[in-house]
Amino acid sequence: MNEQRTMTLLTVVAVVVWLIGLGWSVLTFRQLHAAGDQLHRRESALASMRALEAESLHYAAARARVRAESGQLAVPNDLAVAQLPGARTDEARMRRASLGEGWTQLTQDLVFDDVSIAGAMKLADVLESQRPPWRLAAVEIRALPHAPGIGQVAFTVTAIQAEP
Amino acid sequence: MSRDAIREAWCRVGYGVDFQGPRRVVVRAERGRKGVTLTPVTFAQDALGTGAVAVAMEPRESITQWLEVAFGSRSKALKVLPTVLDIQLPFAIEQCAYEFPILRRTAEGRTRALGVAARFVDLERTLARCAAAGLDPAVCDHEGLALWTQSITEMPGEAAGEGAVRVVAYRGTDRATLVIGAAGEYRSAHAVRLDDAAQVRRLVRAAGGEGVRSIAWWWAGPGAEDKSACASLLDTIGQEWACTVAYHRDPANFLARALATRLVTDGARRCNLRMGRLEHPAVRQARARGMRRAIAVALAGGVVLCGMNLAVSASVRGRGVAFDAAFRTAAVAAAGPVFGAAKGEQAVLIARREVAAQGLAAAPYQQYMDPIVSRVVHTVMEQAALENLIIEVLTVKPEKVVVHGRGRAWESAAPLAKALEAQGYGSTIQREDPLPDATVPFSVTAEARHE
């Protein structure tokens, strides 16, 4: 009789555990279904955020590299005089813009009238090849109608320098 | 249930006992990998107490009856069948032990079942006889079914066609049993007097139906060793049918062999009428063990199910936490600690704004890293040299390129436009009518593509 009661109790326990397991399985299945959508959204958001992280790192890397190459800048007018002897240039004031964190962007306009266009292009190469370099930010070339290879050349060059 | 319990618990070895008046015929059966090994043993020498014992309920103390109910469902049929059997029995079913060893669904969606029953008083009498002989059988089998299964197992014999009747005639020292089957199926078993030809003919006709074509007589039992007596009996019985006569090997221990074989093997037509209040304690214990095992398996299954759910839930939660951590790390790396409580798409929007601001601030550095103006000027110059273009005005800014000039042909400016496309600009060409010197004025305007 006692054993019968024990068996009944065990059977009830087994059935209850089974039912809990089954009920839980149904809940888990529903959770999984919902979690699938949520996971998809999270994956999409994470992918977007990682792309932004990569972009941010790219900017940081550019800053780091520029700063690593920082040093004494050549004077553009001096290079122009060396490359285009006799060329008439309009003296323009060098503009400075702070980039923050102790860095400044320098901008200089170089305008040459009736100059050899090939010579001007060579000057551009020389400016770009300086260490630290001057970069061309804008170029305008106007050829003279009846003088092949000669024209008006305007360069805007920029460089980045640590603030003193 | 009880038979399975016996078999699982202790019935790899069993004994079939056939009472032949004062004599007992005992066969030991052992189930092995290669099948069942049967060994006749003497009653005294074998320790019957160590194994399961099966005895037979004779047809005069038991009954078999084919029944049919209108339910195709097994469980429903099993609920109804006792009532149907009760109607067929000459005594109240409450006084009987009964089983339905054959239960099958018919083509019409009904259930056809073979009911086997014996009165408890007859079972008690049989058990008392066994006890007097020092036996406590766990199984009280039905003699007719035992004879039939052993006959068709040992001698599959004739085709189970319509009209083909097999009769297993058991000729014992103190009784005779006739088991009749047709179309390969057990029909009925009867305690008979084999010298009563009219009774035998009537039973065969009743069991086999009017369309009996041929009868295969299989003799068994101690009396079957006297073949001439069997033949003369058959002469008086089987005149009206085409009969074939055969004898089972070792006919004297045929029934004991059948009982022992059924005890240690599984299959259809097995039954044990020792049940209810007469159930053998070992069978009850075996059933309890089986029950306990089933409960343990169910419990373990439930626990495993719960464990799996726990693991899956934890895994999903863990994955979510890992995602959040990775997201937060990427967000802080991209835009710094500017998110507050923002999450998901909202955080992406904030980060996008921050990174755009970073891009603006980093534009001078980007320009420094990627000298695009210089590159474009060189591209234009190279294309001009290749296509013999005369460049009149060239304006290059990172965002926009404008080239005015003249070409030698209508299509001369196209490669220049294509080269600017390759540098990341979207370009358009405008041309004018050729000049008197045959050159074609053109202007190419290219604007940076923002992707």
Side-chain angles (χ1 to χ4, degrees):
Chain A
M1 191 64 190
N2 205 11
E3 190 186 355
Q4 182 68 34
R5 199 172 295 162
T6 309
M7 294 283 268
T8 309
L9 188 70
L10 281 173
T11 307
V12 169
V13 170
V15 168
V16 166
V17 172
W18 252 106
L19 287 177
I20 289 172
L22 279 177
W24 197 352
S25 296
V26 171
L27 282 178
T28 304
F29 181 77
R30 286 184 179 170
Q31 271 177 353
L32 275 178
H33 194 67
D37 293 342
Q38 205 177 26
L39 214 60
H40 186 69
R41 282 198 301 275
R42 280 176 162 175
E43 275 174 353
S44 166
L46 181 60
S48 302
M49 194 56 91
R50 284 200 165 134
L52 290 170
E53 182 191 5
E55 197 177 333
S56 177
L57 288 175
H58 179 68
Y59 297 148
R63 269 197 302 272
R65 184 159 163 208
V66 171
R67 290 169 186 183
E69 288 184 359
S70 173
Q72 186 60 46
L73 280 168
V75 179
N77 281 330
D78 295 350
L79 295 172
V81 168
Q83 287 298 317
L84 301 168
R88 285 181 288 113
T89 175
D90 295 338
E91 287 288 339
R93 197 169 61 84
M94 190 172 287
R95 300 187 296 280
R96 291 170 183 275
S98 174
L99 297 176
E101 299 174 7
W103 293 84
T104 305
Q105 185 178 32
L106 306 176
T107 306
Q108 171 85 63
D109 293 326
L110 300 171
V111 182
F112 307 99
D113 293 323
D114 304 336
V115 73
S116 155
I117 293 171
M121 294 315 299
K122 198 168 178 189
L123 170 62
D125 289 343
V126 168
L127 285 164
E128 291 265 3
S129 61
Q130 296 297 306
R131 283 290 170 269
W134 284 91
R135 296 291 189 205
L136 290 177
V139 171
E140 186 167 344
I141 299 170
R142 288 179 182 276
L144 289 180
H146 303 295
I150 304 295
Q152 186 192 54
V153 176
F155 289 152
T156 301
V157 291
T158 66
I160 293 173
Q161 192 181 42
E163 287 169 358
Chain B
M1 177 66 188
S2 57
R3 254 205 64 82
D4 290 344
I6 295 168
R7 195 182 154 197
E8 278 188 26
W10 41 267
C11 221
R12 198 175 62 79
V13 175
Y15 295 84
V17 179
D18 176 15
F19 286 89
Q20 290 290 333
R23 201 171 140 253
R24 287 107 189 162
V25 181
V26 184
V27 169
R28 180 181 189 273
E30 183 171 358
R31 178 164 38 89
R33 285 184 182 172
K34 291 178 180 173
V36 177
T37 308
L38 296 164
T39 317
V41 292
T42 56
F43 193 81
Q45 86 186 150
D46 222 284
L48 291 175
T50 62
V53 174
V55 295
M57 294 299 291
E58 297 170 20
R60 66 181 166 211
E61 5 178 75
S62 59
I63 187 169
T64 58
Q65 182 72 44
W66 279 102
L67 306 166
E68 198 166 305
V69 291
F71 301 105
S73 155
R74 185 185 168 86
S75 57
K76 278 186 184 171
L78 278 171
K79 282 180 189 164
V80 176
L81 279 167
T83 310
V84 179
L85 180 63
D86 191 18
I87 295 165
Q88 301 289 329
L89 291 175
F91 25 74
I93 199 162
E94 291 78 16
Q95 299 168 7
C96 298
Y98 59 89
E99 265 201 273
F100 300 97
I102 299 175
L103 202 71
R104 72 169 70 104
R105 198 180 151 95
T106 65
E108 295 81 28
R110 297 162 68 87
T111 297
R112 186 170 153 78
L114 179 70
V116 183
R119 288 193 303 167
F120 284 118
V121 289
D122 290 325
L123 281 162
E124 280 166 343
R125 196 177 303 124
T126 301
L127 291 174
R129 188 173 50 173
C130 291
L135 288 173
D136 184 15
V139 172
C140 289
D141 206 340
H142 184 266
E143 187 175 289
L145 281 173
L147 291 169
W148 177 258
T149 52
Q150 193 65 17
S151 177
I152 58 173
T153 302
E154 288 187 4
M155 293 292 164
E158 69 278 355
E162 196 61 40
V165 172
R166 173 184 282 219
V167 175
V168 181
Y170 175 81
R171 194 162 171 241
T173 52
D174 59 346
R175 69 185 192 278
T177 301
L178 209 63
V179 185
I180 306 166
E185 187 176 75
Y186 171 90
R187 290 285 169 88
S188 59
H190 311 273
V192 292
R193 283 178 49 221
L194 286 171
D195 56 354
D196 185 349
Q199 185 199 13
V200 172
R201 275 199 294 271
R202 184 176 51 77
L203 290 171
V204 170
R205 208 175 290 121
E210 287 303 319
V212 176
R213 282 186 287 105
S214 62
I215 299 178
W217 282 89
W218 286 91
W219 288 99
E225 286 173 337
D226 184 357
K227 292 185 180 177
S228 60
C230 291
S232 66
L233 280 171
L234 195 60
D235 284 345
T236 58
I237 295 167
Q239 289 161 345
E240 62 182 276
W241 299 293
C243 294
T244 58
V245 183
Y247 296 84
H248 281 291
R249 66 174 172 85
D250 300 332
N253 63 31
F254 183 79
L255 177 57
R257 213 157 67 223
L259 293 168
T261 304
R262 282 163 64 87
L263 187 60
V264 298
T265 58
D266 209 355
R269 309 183 192 91
R270 267 53 170 181
C271 69
N272 181 13
L273 293 167
R274 187 171 179 184
M275 59 175 65
R277 61 185 169 82
L278 296 179
E279 188 176 47
H280 196 282
V283 174
R284 197 176 303 128
Q285 283 160 15
R287 191 175 52 241
R289 272 198 298 276
M291 189 73 180
R292 277 197 292 272
R293 196 179 304 139
I295 290 170
V297 168
L299 203 58
V303 169
V304 166
L305 207 57
C306 289
M308 279 168 62
N309 282 308
L310 197 65
V312 168
S313 296
S315 161
V316 169
R317 218 174 11 252
R319 211 164 159 200
V321 168
F323 255 107
D324 285 347
F327 185 80
R328 181 64 56 177
T329 305
V332 171
V338 294
F339 297 98
K343 283 182 177 176
E345 284 302 317
Q346 199 188 351
V348 171
L349 284 175
I350 293 172
R352 197 164 279 148
R353 218 162 38 227
E354 287 293 322
V355 172
Q358 286 176 19
L360 280 177
Y365 298 97
Q366 289 284 99
Q367 195 180 340
Y368 180 96
M369 293 289 293
D370 182 19
I372 187 162
V373 172
S374 170
R375 203 170 65 230
V376 169
V377 170
H378 278 100
T379 301
V380 173
M381 292 302 175
E382 280 164 18
Q383 287 299 319
L386 281 171
E387 301 295 329
N388 285 324
L389 300 177
I390 299 161
I391 304 293
E392 293 168 344
V393 178
L394 170 64
T395 307
V396 181
K397 289 181 180 172
E399 292 299 309
K400 191 172 183 180
V401 180
V402 180
V403 186
H404 295 288
R406 284 176 287 142
R408 303 288 175 202
W410 187 260
E411 289 299 326
S412 295
L416 172 60
K418 204 169 176 183
L420 289 172
E421 299 261 354
Q423 295 287 344
Y425 290 86
S427 64
T428 54
I429 308 174
Q430 285 185 322
R431 299 179 181 90
E432 292 172 18
D433 292 337
L435 298 173
D437 65 353
T439 58
V440 178
F442 70 86
S443 67
V444 175
T445 305
E447 294 195 17
R449 280 195 300 259
H450 294 285
E451 290 168 355

